[in-house]
């Protein structure tokens, strides 16, 4: 079985930008766990985070399906890879894109580059799984940033996504929104997910190291 994956989305939280992003990444790198810990960082911080925490798996939060050329302001996948990104989120609830965007992106990125396509519900997760991303992350938008975990409030969206996605491919399923602790992570795994995608449980914690240790505490 693959290692359970815990992806921390740094978003643009002050605690996870610039020098603070480097510090948080170093904390993540130092956590002793059998889980696969991933930091999804601002593109501005990609290079410096990779330098600061070379052992940590680092993803982008978004990429555009463009090639070298005249694309002012866009996020170019091959440059992200050159700067150390090993994967990316796409279609996050806070940065929605169309299916064309995702489809074109899959044509540009190399096979080993991890694509984690975010979905708001089971039907969207099923559609996105047809593009063959490594992961589909289901996150009910109304629960994002809240205090209650999707795994407690809406376990059916997690198990339903696992069922729907397994029917069309062997894409891994992550769940997110309100994930805060080890119990939430284990519940996600019990529901059939490969892991979790979270942000505020770590980025808004007074003690991110303790929060991270708690998150992975029940993983063997
Ligand atoms: O990308 C993770 C996210 O949208 C969930 O955020 O703060 O509810 O863990 P949060």
């Amino acid at each position: 079985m693959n290692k359970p994956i815990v992806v921390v989305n740094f978003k643009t939280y002050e605690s996870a930008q610039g020098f603070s992003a480097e510090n948080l990444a170093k904390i993540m790198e130092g956590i002793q766990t059998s889980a696969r810990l991933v930091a999804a960082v601002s593109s501005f911080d990609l290079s410096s985070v990779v330098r600061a925490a070379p052992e940590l798996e680092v993803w982008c939060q978004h990429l555009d399906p463009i090639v070298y050329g005249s694309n002012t302001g866009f996020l170019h996948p091959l440059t992200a890879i050159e700067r150390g990104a090993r994967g990316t989120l796409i279609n996050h609830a806070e940065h929605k894109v169309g299916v064309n965007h995702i489809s074109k992106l899959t044509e540009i990125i190399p096979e080993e580059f991890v694509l984690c396509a975010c979905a708001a519900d089971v039907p969207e997760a099923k559609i996105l799984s047809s593009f063959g991303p490594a992961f589909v992350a289901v996150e009910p938008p109304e629960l994002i940033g809240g205090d209650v975990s999707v795994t407690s409030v809406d376990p059916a969206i997690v198990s339903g996504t696992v069922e729907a996605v397994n029917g069309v491919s062997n894409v891994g399923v992550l769940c997110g929104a309100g994930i805060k602790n080890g119990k939430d992570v284990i519940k996600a795994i019990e529901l059939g997910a490969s892991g979790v995608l979270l942000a505020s449980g770590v980025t808004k914690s007074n003690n991110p190291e303790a929060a991270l240790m708690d998150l992975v505490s029940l993983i063997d």
Side-chain angles (χ1 to χ4, degrees):
M1 196 184 127
N2 291 330
K3 293 180 188 174
I5 180 167
V6 176
V7 182
V8 181
N9 183 356
F10 285 23
K11 302 197 176 185
T12 57
Y13 282 111
E14 188 177 1
S15 63
Q17 299 299 291
F19 296 121
S20 300
E22 295 169 37
N23 291 336
L24 181 54
K26 282 190 231 171
I27 291 171
M28 289 181 68
E29 189 185 41
I31 301 290
Q32 298 298 315
T33 176
S34 58
R36 175 176 166 193
L37 277 185
V38 177
V41 306
S42 158
S43 300
F44 289 121
D45 294 325
L46 176 59
S47 290
S48 58
V49 163
V50 168
R51 254 196 314 272
E55 302 301 321
L56 181 67
E57 182 170 343
V58 180
W59 294 357
C60 304
Q61 298 174 7
H62 170 85
L63 285 175
D64 293 303
I66 50 146
V67 294
Y68 291 111
S70 48
N71 301 291
T72 305
F74 287 80
L75 298 180
H76 179 230
L78 298 185
T79 302
I81 292 168
E82 187 180 327
R83 291 300 185 181
R86 285 154 61 185
T88 192
L89 303 177
I90 197 71
N91 197 46
H92 190 277
E94 294 149 10
H95 199 151
K96 294 298 274 184
V97 297
V99 287
N100 278 350
H101 186 114
I102 298 170
S103 167
K104 284 190 197 148
L105 191 57
T106 61
E107 288 165 17
I108 291 172
I109 56 175
E111 207 174 320
E112 66 279 8
F113 189 76
V114 181
L115 195 62
C116 177
C118 302
D121 51 29
V122 177
E124 188 180 21
K126 189 165 183 175
I127 291 168
L128 297 186
S129 69
S130 68
F131 294 104
F135 298 103
V136 166
V138 66
E139 300 193 309
E142 67 280 8
L143 298 179
I144 290 178
D147 289 327
V148 287
S149 169
V150 60
T151 53
S152 316
V153 185
D154 195 357
I157 199 173
V158 184
S159 51
T161 301
V162 170
E163 202 178 323
V165 165
N166 281 347
V168 291
S169 64
N170 56 3
V171 174
V173 171
L174 308 186
C175 64
I179 303 281
K180 294 283 186 288
N181 54 46
K183 285 189 189 145
D184 298 335
V185 175
I186 286 300
K187 185 75 188 295
I189 291 164
E190 284 169 0
L191 290 166
S194 304
V196 297
L197 171 61
L198 78 145
S200 53
V202 171
T203 59
K204 290 172 88 172
S205 167
N206 293 331
N207 187 341
E209 184 172 19
L212 285 158
M213 284 168 62
D214 186 348
L215 282 160
V216 299
S217 60
L218 301 175
I219 295 171
D220 293 333

